[in-house]
Amino acid sequence: MPAAAASGGPTAAASASPGNPRGEAPGGTPAGPPTGCPVGHPAPGGGVPTLFTWEFATDPYPAYAWLREHSPVHRTALPSGVEAWLVTRYDDARQALADARLSKNPMHHAGSAQAKGRTGIPGERKAELMTHLLNIDPPDHTRLRRLVSKAFTPRRVAEFAPRVQELTDRLIDSFAEDGKADLIHDFAFPLPIYAICDLLGVPPEDQDDFRDWAGMMIRHGGGPRGGVARSVKKMRGYLAELIHRKRENPGDDLISGLIRASDHGEHLTENEAAAMAFILLFAGFETTVNLIGNGTYALLRNPDQRVRLQRSLADGESGLLDTGIEELLRYDGPVEMATWRYATEPVTLGGQAVAAGDPVLVVLAAADRDPERFRDADTLDLARSDNQHLGYGHGIHYCLGAPLARLEGRTALATLLRRLPDLRLSPEAADVRWRGGLIMRGLRTLPVEFDPGHRIVRSDAPSRP
């Protein structure tokens, strides 16, 4: 969701993870797991579980449970070679997310220049796109967030709801007669790309280019960082041109709103405007891709909860959908780890001393399954009411675009369940793979089936002769 990234909160595209964080081999094939312990699970004799393999990516929760119990603030070497602290308990995570001593500015990283280059979004430094909310602290963060808030208002999000519904129905129309679909490629991926382009003011004739660039950003074959950097460079050049056009001919869109805010006494440089638009586009789409994909997958693997939600929607109720979206964000949310933080001075987290300059990664997926905070934490319960999850962060970096993310997630899931009532996983879904990445958690594909004869035509669709 746009703002997930724009808030400086816990979002960024998976491709932006350092190096090759899941252990992917250079050609895009999974590297073999280290020997000595079962991947993703505690080692024999109670040793530290193996992290960041493809098997771990499929189900990281047993490993995170071990870390919560035995090493809740755990120093580890990432596959990129960068060492960082993983924070896994809910209370510690909440503290870390709001701790001003943990800076978002990569300049506070005590590592080498090479290590610094393995954090953040590939190519953003060379493209002069560093001045966005993911990389700055107050007072600059306060100033930029205020400017974005002026352009990204709750009213604008509410007014955008019909367009999100229109895009959702149009995408379902494209495969509704086929009886099968890949819900990532055909639905979850294009929906937020087209939505955020509309919101930002990218002309329709240019939106397919953004879809191509976004696809490169989350694709991992052949070395992800180089591909991402090339897409970042192309996007940077386009945004510079678009911002110039919007200054000459502003419209009712987010980029024009940013320009208007800066032109009325607020200081927003050209690079800041480009960086803000970039981060909204770059990270704004993948959180929603994963919310829709992970959420649908969780519902189809928990049929009792899916049926419960479908019955509620059929009765015209919205309460279970509201609590259900929050539960899906908690249970297997789109953001596995909050984006990088760096200790500006010695900090104690969970009883562990963290040195100045050390990178810290708050593991939201682990915190949101903490049994000390959530009853039956490993159970999906769409009616869960006490659900203060950390999926959109906490503190001053709380996700600015959470309302838009929720709108898109609600609309997508409710429309899928209503229009394709017998939606089910295809046999191929038994072998689904999760995308390699450190920050984000999302599926590569989600093959589904349904009976075209059982689909429900959308209410605004023209009747057939």
Side-chain angles (χ1 to χ4, degrees):
M1 194 16 328
S7 67
T11 58
S15 306
S17 306
N20 215 350
R22 289 291 190 208
E24 193 172 39
T29 57
T35 58
C37 63
V39 289
H41 295 270
V48 179
T50 303
L51 307 175
F52 310 126
T53 64
W54 284 109
E55 291 84 353
F56 166 83
T58 299
D59 183 12
Y61 296 104
Y64 288 150
W66 189 96
L67 290 177
R68 276 196 312 266
E69 181 176 357
H70 299 284
S71 185
V73 180
H74 179 73
R75 188 175 178 88
T76 188
L78 305 173
S80 64
V82 176
E83 291 196 354
W85 294 95
L86 305 182
V87 181
T88 56
R89 287 181 180 169
Y90 181 90
D91 288 345
D92 298 335
R94 189 177 171 90
Q95 173 197 336
L97 291 172
D99 196 323
R101 297 170 298 174
L102 297 179
S103 169
K104 300 292 295 175
N105 190 337
M107 296 305 296
H108 289 291
H109 186 188
S112 64
Q114 184 180 26
K116 286 183 173 73
R118 292 175 177 171
T119 65
I121 300 172
E124 64 178 355
R125 191 180 302 275
K126 288 185 178 180
E128 298 183 324
L129 291 170
M130 291 290 291
T131 52
H132 56 71
L133 293 177
L134 283 173
N135 290 333
I136 58 175
D137 304 314
D140 287 336
H141 176 273
T142 306
R143 175 178 62 86
L144 288 182
R145 186 176 174 110
R146 184 176 65 248
L147 286 171
V148 178
S149 297
K150 290 179 179 179
F152 199 84
T153 62
R155 187 184 75 172
R156 184 185 294 273
V157 173
E159 291 174 346
F160 198 55
R163 177 58 174 160
V164 173
Q165 184 66 63
E166 178 187 354
L167 287 168
T168 300
D169 278 315
R170 190 180 77 190
L171 289 167
I172 294 176
D173 287 344
S174 70
F175 59 77
E177 297 287 355
D178 299 337
K180 62 180 181 179
D182 174 358
L183 280 187
I184 301 301
H185 181 270
D186 299 328
F187 185 64
F189 180 77
L191 174 59
I193 280 291
Y194 293 136
I196 190 58
C197 282
D198 281 356
L199 197 64
L200 285 169
V202 176
E205 61 269 22
D206 296 339
Q207 293 186 7
D208 283 338
D209 287 336
F210 274 90
R211 179 172 177 170
D212 291 342
W213 295 333
M216 179 61 73
M217 288 175 177
I218 66 172
R219 191 176 301 126
H220 284 262
R225 292 186 73 82
V228 174
R230 286 191 294 273
S231 293
V232 168
K233 184 177 180 179
K234 292 178 181 178
M235 190 177 286
R236 174 65 173 92
Y238 176 85
L239 287 173
E241 179 186 347
L242 182 62
I243 289 169
H244 177 74
R245 298 204 314 253
K246 295 290 184 184
R247 285 192 185 279
E248 297 292 324
N249 187 24
D252 184 24
D253 53 69
L254 262 179
I255 291 180
S256 297
L258 287 171
I259 293 170
R260 278 193 294 270
S262 67
D263 287 344
H264 285 78
E266 299 283 355
H267 178 63
L268 190 70
T269 68
E270 192 85 6
N271 279 346
E272 287 173 339
M276 290 306 307
F278 161 73
I279 202 62
L280 286 165
L281 280 162
F282 181 84
F285 75 95
E286 196 178 1
T287 49
T288 307
V289 174
N290 295 346
L291 171 56
I292 297 170
N294 298 5
T296 304
Y297 188 55
L299 288 172
L300 296 181
R301 295 183 71 198
N302 292 269
D304 59 324
Q305 295 294 304
R306 175 181 61 81
V307 170
R308 186 181 183 187
L309 180 55
Q310 284 179 307
R311 289 174 177 169
S312 174
L313 293 170
D315 290 339
E317 300 171 354
S318 62
L320 191 62
L321 179 62
D322 293 339
T323 57
I325 288 293
E326 303 309 310
E327 176 68 348
L328 293 169
L329 286 164
R330 181 202 70 83
Y331 178 76
D332 200 6
V335 184
E336 189 161 343
M337 298 187 189
T339 48
W340 297 81
R341 284 165 167 78
Y342 311 90
T344 58
E345 61 183 77
V347 177
T348 299
L349 289 173
Q352 177 67 58
V354 175
D358 281 358
V360 175
L361 292 167
V362 179
V363 188
L364 306 177
D368 281 342
R369 292 280 192 107
D370 189 341
E372 294 297 317
R373 176 59 185 83
F374 300 100
R375 183 178 179 180
D376 298 325
D378 291 323
T379 299
L380 180 68
D381 178 7
L382 298 182
R384 191 185 297 270
S385 56
D386 182 16
N387 196 357
Q388 296 180 23
H389 62 79
L390 300 175
Y392 287 132
H394 173 65
I396 65 169
H397 295 292
Y398 183 81
C399 174
L400 187 66
L404 182 55
R406 288 183 169 103
L407 168 64
E408 292 183 351
R410 282 169 49 93
T411 303
L413 291 174
T415 308
L416 272 177
L417 294 178
R418 179 179 58 81
R419 293 194 56 190
L420 307 175
D422 64 337
L423 187 70
R424 58 192 179 273
L425 293 172
S426 299
E428 308 94 89
D431 299 320
V432 295
R433 300 290 291 272
W434 295 79
R435 286 196 303 273
L438 187 68
I439 302 299
M440 305 298 294
R441 176 164 172 78
L443 291 161
R444 285 173 171 256
T445 62
L446 183 55
V448 296
E449 296 177 345
F450 48 89
D451 184 348
H454 290 172
R455 71 181 182 90
I456 297 176
V457 179
R458 69 190 201 189
S459 58
D460 64 336
S463 58
R464 294 187 176 184

